């Protein structure tokens, strides 16, 4: 006899995963939603820090000196504040709310980030996208997107950051099938967002309190759903902001250590040694900040994690 609860038509449930809170110094708090012991990746999204909100005293702010990356794209989305990016390709770019900085590390790039402007405010989402094997040894690149497509959805202003959603397509160049949408509401709002059933998805709340298919979501945790969902109901009773990410489950093993995404301990150790010896990554021109040395990677016993199942 056929069951009324046909597994094929039951959408994947949302699973709540706590973010890891950390203080980066000077009261600069972050909530690391990816990776955590409960969830390593969502599609090729392999890192998600919710930074701030914090207001630094005048003349101070976020100051991250030159440091290297390999094997990933950094994806910066500002909620509040202004940050100056400089990199070893010679780019200098201020990023403001509503804009995206996408830096593709490929085989190696170095950059610095420093608060600018008068407000002292820093509130941002910093994400990394793991590059597939075919692209991860490629040339480094940096692209600033000053405007992303926006859709209005039931009181939410939805900015399509990556991939396609709500009838809009982001211009951000990706190497895996991904989606990223910021949904900000100045007050009560409610909408249905269609989801790609081949994707796994996650939601974090950047501001206020929201409801995801009826379940409350506040800053500090992530809701994850395995592939199979065709949509999600998002709502809030007062001002709130949500970040929706998703993608096809990343099917390559990953080894993440410090600012590197690779596949083997040997490769990571070489990247750390190259940075500390001043090889491969170049220098970041114009920055007043001191370069950040890689921690000792000697004898890294880490092994690449196999792709997550389910
Ligand atoms: Mn960085």
């Amino acid at each position: 006899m056929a069951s009324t609860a046909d597994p094929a038509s039951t959408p994947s449930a949302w699973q709540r995963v706590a973010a890891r809170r950390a203080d980066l110094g000077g009261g600069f708090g972050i909530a690391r939603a990816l990776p955590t012991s409960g969830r390593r990746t969502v599609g090729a999204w392999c890192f998600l820090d919710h930074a701030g909100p914090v207001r630094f005293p005048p003349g101070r702010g976020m100051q991250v000196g030159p440091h290297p990356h390999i094997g990933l794209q950094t994806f910066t989305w500002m909620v509040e504040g202004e940050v100056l990016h400089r990199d070893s390709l010679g780019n200098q770019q201020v990023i403001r709310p509503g804009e995206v900085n996408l830096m593709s590390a490929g085989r190696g790039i170095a950059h610095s980030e420093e608060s600018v402007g008068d407000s002292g405010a820093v509130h941002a989402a910093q994400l990394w996208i793991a590059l597939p094997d075919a692209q991860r040894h490629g040339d480094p690149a940096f692209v600033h997107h000053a405007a992303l497509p926006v859709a209005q959805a039931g009181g939410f202003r939805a900015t399509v950051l990556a991939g396609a959603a709500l009838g809009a397509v982001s211009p951000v160049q990706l190497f895996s099938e991904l989606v990223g949408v910021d949904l900000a509401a100045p007050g009560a709002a409610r909408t249905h967002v269609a989801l790609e059933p081949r994707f796994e998805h996650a939601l974090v709340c950047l501001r206020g309190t929201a409801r995801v298919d009826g379940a409350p979501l506040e800053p500090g945790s992530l809701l994850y759903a395995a592939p199979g969902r065709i949509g999600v109901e998002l709502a809030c009773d007062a001002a709130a902001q949500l970040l929706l990410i998703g993608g096809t489950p990343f099917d390559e093993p990953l080894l993440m250590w410090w600012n590197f995404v690779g596949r083997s301990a040997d490769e990571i150790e070489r990247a750390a040694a190259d940075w500390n010896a001043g090889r491969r990554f170049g220098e970041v021109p114009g920055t007043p900040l001191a370069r950040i040395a890689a921690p000792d990677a000697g004898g890294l016993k880490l092994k690449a994690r196999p792709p997550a199942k389910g």
Side-chain angles (χ1 to χ4, degrees), residues 64 67-69 74 103 111 113 126 128 259:
V64 183
H67 61 279
H69 288 287
T74 62
M103 184 178 78
H111 73 143
E113 293 151 296
Q126 175 68 62
W128 296 356
N259 292 304

